[in-house]
Amino acid sequence: MMKCKVKRIYPLWGFLLSFSLWNVSCVDNKYDLDKDIDLTINVGGEHLAVPVGSTDTAFLSKIIEVEEGDILQPDVATHIYHLTKQDVIKVNPTTVNKVMITGAETDLSQPIVENFVVGQSSSVTANIKTSNTLTATADDIDEALKELGSLSTNTPAILNLTFDLEGNGLTYSKVDAKDLVIQLPAFLTFKEGEVEAGNKLTLNGALTPKQLEVVGYTFGEKAGEGLEPDANRSLTIEGDVSMNGNVVTSGISGSGDLSLTLHVTLGEMATDCVTGVIQPKIEAEKTQIEFNDLPDFLQDEETRLDITNPVIVLKATNPLETPVEVDAVLTPKKNNATIEGHEVKVGAGYGKTAVTLNPGENVIALSRTETSSVAGMTSNVVVSDMNNVLEIIPDDIDVSLKPAVTNTNYYNVELGQDYQLTASYEVDVPLSFEQGLNIVYSDSIKDLNKDLNDLDKLSLKNAKIVLSVDNAIPLKLQLKAENVQIKDIYGHELTAVKKTIEEDKQYVTASVDGETPTTSELVLSLTSEDTHFLTKVEKICFKIVAVAGEKTGIPLKDTQWLKVTSVKLSVPGGVNVDLN
């Protein structure tokens, strides 16, 4: 008698395929099922779809992992991602050296009694009219001093005026000045109250020595009126000294002549302040803006950014009494090499809008378009090609600053003093999605072998992986076949597996506003002559390239998200199951 029994079995591959296989067998000694019956069956008919699972909602705050201190940070209030970086710019102190002016002297002589003989009046009045040149020099004048309008000192130089009377054969009781005017050089600046207006000194009475304090030199009131150092950086300072008026010689006796000499002696001067056309050399050390601690998607070689309004803020305190013009060259680098064609030049020296540091505090925004969001901003300089330095995310940006004083008008500088121009920069790049934006996101599906190796009973040459994706990120996502790698448990690529994705199944539609999600389906086709290729799969690596959607200017926020709502293994035509 033939005995029959019913047995229900649960192979692992049956669990993965989400269906139960009921196996009914009748045991009879007359038959050998292994030899006499082919137990290969087809399951699924035209299309077998096997649910594999789904993912959690992936917010950008999880996809883009940032830590405190990283250059990429979301704004606490707005949730918008910003690339931020700040640091000091080292500017060497600038000093204009002191000017040393040599001493000078001159004599003015004139006879006051001539050919006197006994019997003439004992008193003679002489009309004085004489002059001479007083000359001083200065050497090793600082290159910054293009024209000198005036020099002053904290330690006055002494101007001595002394008189000598020389004669032969005459005696006299006294010599008195009568409205005798000594005209001193106009370039001398005297201590207040020392001389009359116009550097005049009017004498009446006895000719006694005079000692005057000179506190500076004046050559001109405005540009073009002063003195320019010669090619040897030397300066000759000269002016006339004159005496005009009367001298009365009384109590004369004897016969002969008498002459009056004025000795003018000026001491040397170390000057402490200058007014003029002054263009000191200001040197700023090359600054490097390092873009470290960036998330992977911003470091990928294919990543491109087209930022609406990247801003670099230059903060500087100018201690001079004149504007400082700044030219800048921003050179992006990647892998220690300059990114060719992406250098940005700023400043009047390159034919662009001038960047001017006025005396005092300056907060200058260098931006792609007009901006008003920078706190304390004193000026906004539009640099239309600013995005060039960021389009290919650099490892660092070399910033070469060339500060220069180009002012051709007079202003004041303290000589021998260190003028420290303090400067710093702040980079603020609010990330938004533009037509030129291209972000690469790499990920993988792994640990697949522990499930797929149970499919060793299946015989198939092709399969499809179907991903349903909800996208609240305002980027259109694309998965190309060449950006997919199928790897085994040893990390080796299964090159025998052919990958294809139809054009209309490559894209995830962008969210139009960064808030409302869209739903799309990606279909990856896998083909191989090895009918058991799925059992060898451990990991699927993929690179999704994100390109801008139709809308631009939508900010990148950490609250935007992506969710794979389902992942299915699809087998067209069903599968053959070998139960032999």
Side-chain angles (χ1 to χ4, degrees), residues 246-497:
N246 296 306
V247 172
V248 179
T249 305
S250 303
I252 303 173
S253 62
S255 299
D257 303 312
L258 184 63
S259 295
L260 171 64
T261 299
L262 170 62
H263 298 288
V264 180
T265 304
L266 176 63
E268 68 175 7
M269 178 186 292
T271 57
D272 297 296
C273 184
V274 62
T275 299
V277 178
I278 311 163
Q279 297 176 349
K281 186 176 183 180
I282 305 174
E283 294 183 339
E285 295 183 18
K286 182 178 289 186
T287 299
Q288 192 173 75
I289 302 174
E290 295 181 352
F291 283 79
N292 48 10
D293 300 320
L294 285 174
D296 290 342
F297 82 92
L298 286 179
Q299 297 187 60
D300 193 282
E301 295 287 342
E302 297 179 35
T303 297
R304 298 293 183 271
L305 293 182
D306 187 2
I307 307 302
T308 302
N309 198 24
V311 178
I312 295 179
V313 178
L314 177 63
K315 295 184 176 181
T317 301
N318 177 10
L320 297 172
E321 295 181 12
T322 185
V324 174
E325 304 296 332
V326 178
D327 291 336
V329 179
L330 310 178
T331 305
K333 291 187 173 182
K334 200 172 187 71
N335 299 323
N336 296 318
T338 298
I339 303 175
E340 297 296 334
H342 287 263
E343 188 177 72
V344 171
K345 295 181 178 180
V346 181
Y350 298 109
K352 306 292 185 66
T353 304
V355 179
T356 304
L357 304 179
N358 290 310
E361 300 293 328
N362 294 268
V363 179
I364 300 174
L366 307 177
S367 59
R368 190 177 185 182
T369 62
E370 293 284 350
T371 183
S372 59
S373 61
V374 177
M377 184 177 68
T378 55
S379 65
N380 183 196
V381 177
V382 175
V383 184
S384 59
D385 58 349
M386 178 65 78
N387 191 72
N388 280 8
V389 296
L390 297 166
E391 182 182 1
I392 299 173
I393 297 294
D395 296 330
D396 52 71
I397 299 174
D398 284 348
V399 180
S400 297
L401 295 181
K402 296 180 181 178
V405 176
T406 59
N407 183 15
T408 56
N409 294 316
Y410 280 6
Y411 71 98
N412 299 323
V413 165
E414 296 292 330
L415 297 172
Q417 175 180 317
D418 284 347
Y419 282 92
Q420 181 64 66
L421 191 153
T422 59
S424 63
Y425 70 84
E426 294 181 7
V427 176
D428 185 10
V429 182
L431 295 187
S432 62
F433 300 100
E434 304 296 334
Q435 291 293 357
L437 178 65
N438 179 20
I439 290 177
V440 177
Y441 173 64
S442 299
D443 208 339
S444 62
I445 303 170
K446 53 188 177 181
D447 299 326
L448 298 176
N449 190 256
K450 64 183 180 182
D451 293 325
L452 296 180
N453 65 8
D454 290 330
L455 302 179
D456 57 348
K457 296 294 183 182
L458 301 184
S459 178
L460 54 86
K461 291 186 177 182
N462 58 73
K464 292 184 178 181
I465 296 177
V466 182
L467 294 86
S468 294
V469 183
D470 284 353
N471 182 24
I473 301 172
L475 283 179
K476 185 177 182 180
L477 309 175
Q478 183 181 24
L479 178 63
K480 294 182 179 181
E482 59 264 31
N483 289 335
V484 178
Q485 285 185 319
I486 310 298
K487 296 186 176 182
D488 62 18
I489 59 174
Y490 304 107
H492 300 143
E493 185 175 1
L494 298 175
T495 55
V497 179

Side-chain angles (χ1 to χ4, degrees), residues 2-16:
M2 182 174 65
K3 298 178 181 180
C4 296
K5 60 181 178 181
V6 178
K7 180 181 179 182
R8 189 178 186 186
I9 63 174
Y10 297 91
L12 289 176
W13 57 266
F15 172 75
L16 287 173

Side-chain angles (χ1 to χ4, degrees), residues 91-250:
V91 182
N92 296 326
T94 185
T95 303
V96 180
N97 294 323
K98 291 192 174 188
V99 177
M100 297 295 299
I101 302 177
T102 64
E105 60 182 33
T106 190
D107 292 337
L108 287 73
S109 296
Q110 183 177 326
I112 55 175
V113 178
E114 293 182 283
N115 302 318
F116 185 87
V117 296
V118 177
Q120 293 180 342
S121 171
S122 62
S123 178
V124 174
T125 299
N127 181 254
I128 303 297
K129 189 173 184 181
T130 183
S131 65
N132 209 344
T133 302
L134 184 69
T135 303
T137 60
D139 297 318
D140 299 323
I141 296 175
D142 197 294
E143 291 281 350
L145 299 175
K146 308 302 180 183
E147 180 182 317
L148 285 75
S150 65
L151 293 160
S152 62
T153 183
N154 297 324
T155 306
I158 302 301
L159 178 71
N160 286 301
L161 302 176
T162 58
F163 299 91
D164 275 345
L165 294 168
E166 295 181 356
N168 55 352
L170 285 182
T171 60
Y172 55 89
S173 59
K174 63 177 182 177
V175 177
D176 290 327
K178 184 177 182 182
D179 295 327
L180 179 64
V181 176
I182 299 175
Q183 177 68 62
L184 298 170
F187 61 72
L188 294 177
T189 303
F190 291 93
K191 184 178 179 181
E192 186 176 357
E194 294 276 270
V195 297
E196 303 163 33
N199 283 0
K200 293 181 179 180
L201 194 64
T202 303
L203 304 179
N204 283 288
L207 297 173
T208 57
K210 303 290 182 184
Q211 192 174 79
L212 307 175
E213 293 187 2
V214 177
V215 295
Y217 288 74
T218 300
F219 313 116
E221 297 296 328
K222 60 184 179 181
E225 296 179 351
L227 298 180
E228 296 182 9
D230 61 23
N232 296 319
R233 306 306 300 168
S234 296
L235 195 67
T236 299
I237 307 167
E238 59 183 17
D240 289 337
V241 180
S242 65
M243 281 194 303
N244 290 279
N246 296 306
V247 172
V248 179
T249 305
S250 303

Side-chain angles (χ1 to χ4, degrees), residues 57-64 79-81 431 433 471-475 511 513-516 554-562:
T57 301
F59 289 97
L60 283 186
S61 59
K62 297 297 183 183
I63 296 175
I64 304 174
H79 296 282
I80 296 174
Y81 280 100
L431 295 187
F433 300 100
N471 182 24
I473 301 172
L475 283 179
S511 170
D513 57 6
E515 304 289 342
T516 307
I554 301 173
L556 179 64
K557 297 182 178 181
D558 65 353
T559 53
Q560 293 162 347
W561 55 272
L562 182 75

